[in-house]
């Protein structure tokens, strides 16, 4: 019994002193609110994308550090957001911005038109306020576009249930 006990103790010591193969990644969060220019309602299928990007090199496209994509699920502006990022990816001597857009059926219908500086050079990390501006896009469904088909489907369902009830009573 003693050799088995010694083997278990040795295994426990080896496991406790081994490096953790999956270290927890430390994250920090940017948070704020997105406003839309204009007072149009968005369909529930609208998709919001927020990105943290490095814009230090001015003649090149921004390098996206992280992004968050979420559905509006019928909610309307303003939208609260939080964007987690890994602080190890941030260099205090570089410039970072928030940028974003809203898509509907894969087509961008709103986007930021200005850079929102964050993180470095005394720029904010919380209570951020972004405005997205509507683009002139053709063939974009309106917020109520799904209402008529939904009402028709519900009416047909109700008709089907009613026919089933009448059939049962006649039998």
């Amino acid at each position: 019994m003693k050799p088995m006990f010694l083997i278990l103790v040795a295994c426990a010591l080896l496991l406790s002193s081994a490096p953790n193969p999956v270290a927890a990644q430390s994250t920090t969060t940017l948070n704020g609110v997105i406003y839309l220019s204009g007072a149009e309602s968005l369909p529930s299928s609208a998709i919001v994308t927020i990105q943290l990007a490095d814009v230090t090199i001015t003649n090149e496209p921004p390098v996206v550090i992280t992004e968050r994509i979420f559905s509006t699920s019928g909610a309307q502006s303003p939208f609260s957001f939080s964007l987690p990022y890994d602080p190890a990816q941030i260099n205090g001597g570089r410039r970072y911005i928030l940028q974003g857009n809203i898509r509907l059926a894969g087509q961008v219908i709103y986007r930021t038109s200005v850079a929102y500086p964050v993180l470095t050079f005394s720029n904010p990390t919380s209570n951020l306020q972004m405005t997205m501006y509507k683009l002139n896009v053709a063939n974009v469904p309106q917020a109520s576009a799904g209402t008529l088909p939904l009402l028709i489907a519900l009416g047909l369902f109700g008709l089907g249930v009613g026919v089933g009830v009448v059939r049962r009573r006649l039998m």
Side-chain angles (χ1 to χ4, degrees):
M1 186 142 175
K2 285 185 179 181
M4 180 60 94
F5 177 75
L6 291 175
I7 291 172
L8 288 174
V9 169
C11 287
L13 286 172
L14 284 172
L15 289 174
S16 67
S17 64
N20 186 357
V22 180
Q25 185 179 21
S26 172
T27 59
T28 306
T29 304
L30 296 169
N31 62 62
V33 178
I34 301 166
Y35 297 93
L36 299 182
S37 66
E40 276 190 44
S41 295
L42 290 174
S44 62
S45 58
I47 303 295
V48 179
T49 301
I50 302 293
Q51 298 176 326
L52 171 62
D54 182 340
V55 292
T56 305
I57 302 173
T58 57
N59 293 332
E60 295 196 18
V63 176
V64 175
I65 305 298
T66 189
E67 71 178 5
R68 179 147 191 216
I69 300 172
F70 60 93
S71 170
T72 62
S73 300
Q76 299 300 317
S77 173
F79 303 104
S80 294
F81 71 90
S82 62
L83 179 63
Y85 66 94
D86 179 2
Q89 292 185 305
I90 305 303
N91 177 331
R94 300 185 75 83
R95 296 193 181 277
Y96 299 93
I97 64 162
L98 277 182
Q99 60 187 10
N101 64 57
I102 298 177
R103 286 172 288 148
L104 189 57
Q107 191 171 19
V108 176
I109 58 172
Y110 282 87
R111 72 168 184 208
T112 52
S113 64
V114 298
Y116 292 93
V118 292
L119 298 176
T120 56
F121 302 102
S122 299
N123 286 309
T125 60
S126 61
N127 300 319
L128 303 165
Q129 295 185 9
M130 298 174 57
T131 301
M132 292 191 188
Y133 294 90
K134 186 168 174 60
L135 303 177
N136 291 327
V137 181
N139 300 324
V140 175
Q142 297 300 314
S144 62
T147 305
L148 183 59
L150 179 61
L151 289 174
I152 291 170
L154 287 172
L156 291 174
F157 176 74
L159 182 63
V161 168
V163 167
V165 169
V166 169
R167 280 188 180 172
R168 284 186 188 172
R169 289 187 181 238
L170 292 176
M171 293 182 151

